[in-house]
Amino acid sequence: MCILFIAIEQHPDYPVIICANRDEFHQRPTEKMHHWSPQNILAGKDLQAGGTWLGLSPSGKFSALTNFRRPAHFDTTKRSRGDLVVQALTSSEQSIQQKLTKESHQYNDFNLVFGQLNNLQAFDSVNKKFVTLTPGFHSICNGALDDIWPKMALGIKALENTIVSESVNLEQLFSLMKNQETAKEQHLPETGLSAELESLLSSIFIISPDYGTRSTAIILQTTSGDIEVYERNYNPQGSVKNQNQFHFSQADIK
């Protein structure tokens, strides 16, 4: 997962709106979002390491992970970060907080969003920092939780503009997640990559032969507590190759 935009208590019908893109190498084998057994979660699956980048549980838990981009610190011997999302969805809040506090050094750098949809937290493994996501608009990408990279600011503004009306337009949400506008050179973050690569990665939606946006997930929680989940998966050219939708009713969540 590369970027998430989250709106909390900003729409009268949808108190939680999450838009998320997963960026990954095209050759990395992946299974689209589906129900896992016996874990009883809804998530896509990284078939290489066995974890996931984003998922939900029938009880209304949510979790998603973004890599913290510090290439000089990357260690191939460390544990797969995708397992953290599965653990966040299947463990108690206290257990995952303790794990993150004590064991985050065993993983390459990451941000993890987790918790009930109406009480989300984010953890930054570089700064060892927990943050409760308060009402408003939030974005989490590949830097510190309080960083504002150009594509983060662009997406938040687009999300604000998209949900101003009484109805939420699903196609507009997917459209904002396909924005390919790159940042100007002077506004690029400095994470240790070349300027050319930083530019490629500076758009919300990334298209390149080897690496790019593989999927978009839209999660909507209604005032009644129902959860609507929509996913689109893309080929290397950025075209939709399949799409799925799921629904958790309040009865399921209870």
Short mmCIF file of all heavy atoms in Angstrom, two decimals, residues 119-145:
data_model
loop_
_atom_site.label_atom_id
_atom_site.label_comp_id
_atom_site.label_asym_id
_atom_site.label_seq_id
_atom_site.Cartn_x
_atom_site.Cartn_y
_atom_site.Cartn_z
N ASN A 119 -12.57 4.38 15.21
CA ASN A 119 -11.55 4.71 16.21
C ASN A 119 -10.17 4.28 15.69
O ASN A 119 -9.48 3.46 16.29
CB ASN A 119 -11.86 4.02 17.54
CG ASN A 119 -10.92 4.44 18.65
OD1 ASN A 119 -10.44 5.58 18.66
ND2 ASN A 119 -10.64 3.55 19.58
N LEU A 120 -9.77 4.86 14.57
CA LEU A 120 -8.52 4.45 13.90
C LEU A 120 -7.31 5.08 14.55
O LEU A 120 -7.33 6.24 14.99
CB LEU A 120 -8.57 4.82 12.42
CG LEU A 120 -9.59 4.06 11.57
CD1 LEU A 120 -9.65 4.66 10.17
CD2 LEU A 120 -9.23 2.58 11.49
N GLN A 121 -6.23 4.32 14.55
CA GLN A 121 -4.92 4.80 14.98
C GLN A 121 -3.91 4.58 13.86
O GLN A 121 -4.12 3.75 12.98
CB GLN A 121 -4.43 4.06 16.22
CG GLN A 121 -5.27 4.22 17.45
CD GLN A 121 -4.62 3.50 18.61
OE1 GLN A 121 -3.53 3.84 19.07
NE2 GLN A 121 -5.30 2.47 19.10
N ALA A 122 -2.81 5.30 13.94
CA ALA A 122 -1.70 5.06 13.02
C ALA A 122 -0.41 4.98 13.82
O ALA A 122 -0.23 5.70 14.81
CB ALA A 122 -1.61 6.18 11.99
N PHE A 123 0.47 4.08 13.38
CA PHE A 123 1.77 3.90 14.04
C PHE A 123 2.87 4.08 13.03
O PHE A 123 2.82 3.52 11.93
CB PHE A 123 1.87 2.51 14.67
CG PHE A 123 3.21 2.22 15.28
CD1 PHE A 123 3.56 2.77 16.51
CD2 PHE A 123 4.13 1.41 14.63
CE1 PHE A 123 4.80 2.51 17.08
CE2 PHE A 123 5.37 1.14 15.19
CZ PHE A 123 5.71 1.69 16.42
N ASP A 124 3.88 4.85 13.40
CA ASP A 124 5.04 5.16 12.57
C ASP A 124 6.23 4.44 13.19
O ASP A 124 6.66 4.76 14.30
CB ASP A 124 5.22 6.69 12.56
CG ASP A 124 6.53 7.17 11.99
OD1 ASP A 124 7.42 6.34 11.74
OD2 ASP A 124 6.66 8.38 11.80
N SER A 125 6.79 3.43 12.49
CA SER A 125 7.84 2.61 13.09
C SER A 125 9.18 3.31 13.17
O SER A 125 10.07 2.87 13.91
CB SER A 125 7.99 1.30 12.31
OG SER A 125 8.61 1.51 11.05
N VAL A 126 9.36 4.38 12.39
CA VAL A 126 10.64 5.11 12.44
C VAL A 126 10.70 5.99 13.68
O VAL A 126 11.68 6.01 14.41
CB VAL A 126 10.83 5.95 11.16
CG1 VAL A 126 12.07 6.83 11.26
CG2 VAL A 126 10.92 5.03 9.95
N ASN A 127 9.60 6.70 13.93
CA ASN A 127 9.55 7.60 15.08
C ASN A 127 8.89 6.96 16.30
O ASN A 127 8.77 7.61 17.34
CB ASN A 127 8.79 8.88 14.70
CG ASN A 127 9.50 9.63 13.59
OD1 ASN A 127 10.61 10.12 13.76
ND2 ASN A 127 8.87 9.71 12.43
N LYS A 128 8.45 5.70 16.16
CA LYS A 128 7.81 4.95 17.26
C LYS A 128 6.64 5.76 17.82
O LYS A 128 6.50 5.94 19.03
CB LYS A 128 8.82 4.63 18.38
CG LYS A 128 10.12 4.03 17.91
CD LYS A 128 9.93 2.67 17.25
CE LYS A 128 11.26 2.07 16.85
NZ LYS A 128 11.12 0.83 16.08
N LYS A 129 5.76 6.19 16.95
CA LYS A 129 4.74 7.15 17.32
C LYS A 129 3.35 6.64 16.99
O LYS A 129 3.08 6.23 15.87
CB LYS A 129 5.02 8.46 16.56
CG LYS A 129 4.08 9.61 16.84
CD LYS A 129 4.52 10.81 16.01
CE LYS A 129 3.60 12.00 16.19
NZ LYS A 129 4.00 13.13 15.31
N PHE A 130 2.45 6.65 17.99
CA PHE A 130 1.04 6.34 17.79
C PHE A 130 0.27 7.65 17.67
O PHE A 130 0.50 8.58 18.45
CB PHE A 130 0.47 5.55 18.97
CG PHE A 130 0.92 4.12 19.05
CD1 PHE A 130 2.03 3.77 19.83
CD2 PHE A 130 0.25 3.12 18.36
CE1 PHE A 130 2.44 2.45 19.91
CE2 PHE A 130 0.66 1.80 18.45
CZ PHE A 130 1.76 1.46 19.22
N VAL A 131 -0.66 7.70 16.73
CA VAL A 131 -1.51 8.88 16.55
C VAL A 131 -2.94 8.41 16.36
O VAL A 131 -3.20 7.51 15.55
CB VAL A 131 -1.06 9.72 15.32
CG1 VAL A 131 -2.05 10.84 15.06
CG2 VAL A 131 0.33 10.28 15.53
N THR A 132 -3.88 9.01 17.09
CA THR A 132 -5.30 8.75 16.87
C THR A 132 -5.79 9.66 15.75
O THR A 132 -5.52 10.87 15.76
CB THR A 132 -6.10 9.01 18.16
OG1 THR A 132 -5.66 8.12 19.18
CG2 THR A 132 -7.59 8.79 17.92
N LEU A 133 -6.48 9.09 14.78
CA LEU A 133 -6.98 9.88 13.66
C LEU A 133 -8.27 10.58 14.08
O LEU A 133 -9.31 9.95 14.26
CB LEU A 133 -7.22 8.99 12.44
CG LEU A 133 -5.98 8.25 11.91
CD1 LEU A 133 -6.30 7.55 10.60
CD2 LEU A 133 -4.80 9.18 11.74
N THR A 134 -8.18 11.88 14.24
CA THR A 134 -9.29 12.70 14.71
C THR A 134 -10.21 13.08 13.55
O THR A 134 -9.83 12.92 12.38
CB THR A 134 -8.74 13.96 15.38
OG1 THR A 134 -7.88 14.63 14.45
CG2 THR A 134 -7.96 13.62 16.64
N PRO A 135 -11.41 13.58 13.83
CA PRO A 135 -12.29 14.03 12.74
C PRO A 135 -11.59 15.03 11.82
O PRO A 135 -10.89 15.93 12.29
CB PRO A 135 -13.46 14.68 13.49
CG PRO A 135 -13.52 13.93 14.78
CD PRO A 135 -12.08 13.66 15.14
N GLY A 136 -11.73 14.82 10.52
CA GLY A 136 -11.06 15.66 9.52
C GLY A 136 -10.56 14.80 8.38
O GLY A 136 -10.97 13.66 8.20
N PHE A 137 -9.62 15.36 7.62
CA PHE A 137 -9.03 14.66 6.48
C PHE A 137 -7.58 14.27 6.82
O PHE A 137 -6.83 15.06 7.39
CB PHE A 137 -9.04 15.55 5.24
CG PHE A 137 -10.42 15.82 4.71
CD1 PHE A 137 -11.14 16.92 5.14
CD2 PHE A 137 -11.02 14.95 3.80
CE1 PHE A 137 -12.41 17.17 4.66
CE2 PHE A 137 -12.30 15.19 3.32
CZ PHE A 137 -13.00 16.30 3.76
N HIS A 138 -7.21 13.07 6.44
CA HIS A 138 -5.88 12.56 6.73
C HIS A 138 -5.32 11.87 5.48
O HIS A 138 -6.06 11.34 4.67
CB HIS A 138 -5.92 11.54 7.86
CG HIS A 138 -6.50 12.06 9.14
ND1 HIS A 138 -5.73 12.71 10.08
CD2 HIS A 138 -7.77 12.06 9.61
CE1 HIS A 138 -6.51 13.07 11.10
NE2 HIS A 138 -7.75 12.68 10.83
N SER A 139 -3.99 11.89 5.38
CA SER A 139 -3.31 11.13 4.33
C SER A 139 -2.07 10.48 4.92
O SER A 139 -1.37 11.09 5.74
CB SER A 139 -2.92 12.04 3.17
OG SER A 139 -2.26 11.28 2.17
N ILE A 140 -1.84 9.24 4.53
CA ILE A 140 -0.65 8.51 4.97
C ILE A 140 0.01 7.93 3.75
O ILE A 140 -0.63 7.27 2.93
CB ILE A 140 -1.02 7.41 5.98
CG1 ILE A 140 -1.66 8.04 7.23
CG2 ILE A 140 0.20 6.59 6.36
CD1 ILE A 140 -2.25 7.04 8.18
N CYS A 141 1.31 8.21 3.63
CA CYS A 141 2.04 7.77 2.43
C CYS A 141 3.31 7.06 2.86
O CYS A 141 3.26 6.17 3.70
CB CYS A 141 2.29 8.99 1.55
SG CYS A 141 2.90 8.60 -0.10
N ASN A 142 4.45 7.45 2.31
CA ASN A 142 5.70 6.73 2.55
C ASN A 142 6.71 7.51 3.38
O ASN A 142 7.90 7.25 3.33
CB ASN A 142 6.34 6.34 1.22
CG ASN A 142 5.39 5.55 0.35
OD1 ASN A 142 5.01 6.00 -0.72
ND2 ASN A 142 4.97 4.39 0.81
N GLY A 143 6.21 8.49 4.15
CA GLY A 143 7.06 9.24 5.06
C GLY A 143 6.43 9.27 6.43
O GLY A 143 5.55 8.47 6.75
N ALA A 144 6.86 10.23 7.25
CA ALA A 144 6.32 10.35 8.60
C ALA A 144 4.86 10.74 8.55
O ALA A 144 4.37 11.30 7.58
CB ALA A 144 7.12 11.40 9.38
N LEU A 145 4.15 10.43 9.62
CA LEU A 145 2.71 10.65 9.66
C LEU A 145 2.32 12.11 9.48
O LEU A 145 1.24 12.41 8.99
CB LEU A 145 2.16 10.13 10.99
CG LEU A 145 2.30 8.63 11.22
CD1 LEU A 145 1.84 8.26 12.62
CD2 LEU A 145 1.53 7.85 10.19
#
